[in-house]
Amino acid sequence: MTKPDEDLTRAALNRIETTTRDRFFAHIPAGQMEALLVSYGMTDWENFAASWQRLGMDVYMADGGRYRRRRHATFALADNSIVRKKHQPHYQSRDYNTLNGGIERWFDPIEKRIGEHPVMKAVLSLVNRLATDLTPEAEQPETWHAEVHQFRIEAGREMNGQPTPEGLHRDGVDWVLVMMVQRENVGNGTTSIHDLQGNEVGSFTLTGPMDAAFVNDHMVYHGVTPIQPIDPDQPAFRDVLVVTLRHQ
């Protein structure tokens, strides 16, 4: 696992961790996220982002929608290692996903070269650091189970794109990172965070590449408003990387 220059990153990590402890989520601006990822060894962002052009259609949408493309992979994360696991289905109970939960969903695997890409390694190293720092020592697992999702949400003249078609939700994990990769010709897509009583406690829109959010999934719900094309005659899409961590 890539080791950062602690002197350069500790202050930035402290800001994210303090905010997450206080509010159960943190919006990480693109500039701050980029600096952190570079400190963890990120290079070649352009080729990493271009892989979103090669996602397969999500055919499991219970609402009948054909607006979501994705790939999926799982990893074991520890202090000194990132190990990709054998390809497996994504499963959520209906307690957490009332729309698409309750079944095993097999998505195309994330391409091998993308799973091993310096951006992916940097993101997984950073998420491991944040999750471990924010988890009480007695509750820290030896290995985190990470699921990684590449999502493209598309919108058209007669089709809104639904980043979270299940609505306001929790993912049934410990920690969630959402990182913007690209927005093309879309409006809206605002993220809102709600406490366990349903009260909104924050909102923001991920816009530029590497704009990100880190969320304590035990303590808050999150959701994203539908996207619409600004120019309905041009391609419109929202690309994000989602990483979830839970105890093994």
Side-chain angles (χ1 to χ4, degrees), residues 56-103:
M57 184 64 67
D58 183 343
V59 298
Y60 291 96
M61 298 302 300
D63 62 1
R66 290 295 181 267
Y67 50 78
R68 183 158 76 177
R69 299 179 182 274
R70 69 194 294 179
R71 287 182 183 267
H72 173 249
T74 58
F75 295 82
L77 306 184
D79 278 348
N80 298 305
S81 68
I82 299 172
V83 177
R84 186 163 180 173
K85 298 184 178 184
K86 182 179 179 180
H87 193 53
Q88 58 188 265
H90 176 55
Y91 179 84
Q92 290 174 297
S93 77
R94 291 187 63 82
D95 292 336
Y96 292 101
N97 190 329
T98 57
L99 179 66
N100 296 318
I103 62 169

Side-chain angles (χ1 to χ4, degrees), residues 27-44:
H27 175 206
I28 310 169
Q32 183 179 350
M33 188 68 172
E34 181 177 9
L36 279 168
L37 293 179
V38 167
S39 78
Y40 278 92
M42 179 183 76
T43 60
D44 193 28

Side-chain angles (χ1 to χ4, degrees), residues 93-152:
S93 77
R94 291 187 63 82
D95 292 336
Y96 292 101
N97 190 329
T98 57
L99 179 66
N100 296 318
I103 62 169
E104 292 187 346
R105 290 179 283 165
W106 287 91
F107 301 111
D108 291 344
I110 289 175
E111 295 166 333
K112 184 175 186 293
R113 59 178 171 161
I114 298 303
E116 298 172 352
H117 195 280
V119 178
M120 185 71 79
K121 290 181 178 179
V123 169
L124 293 176
S125 296
L126 173 59
V127 172
N128 177 75
R129 178 77 274 137
L130 292 171
T132 300
D133 287 352
L134 287 163
T135 301
E137 186 173 359
E139 299 173 17
Q140 293 174 8
E142 291 186 7
T143 305
W144 290 102
H145 174 75
E147 293 201 43
V148 180
H149 308 261
Q150 292 178 286
F151 284 106
R152 168 167 286 187

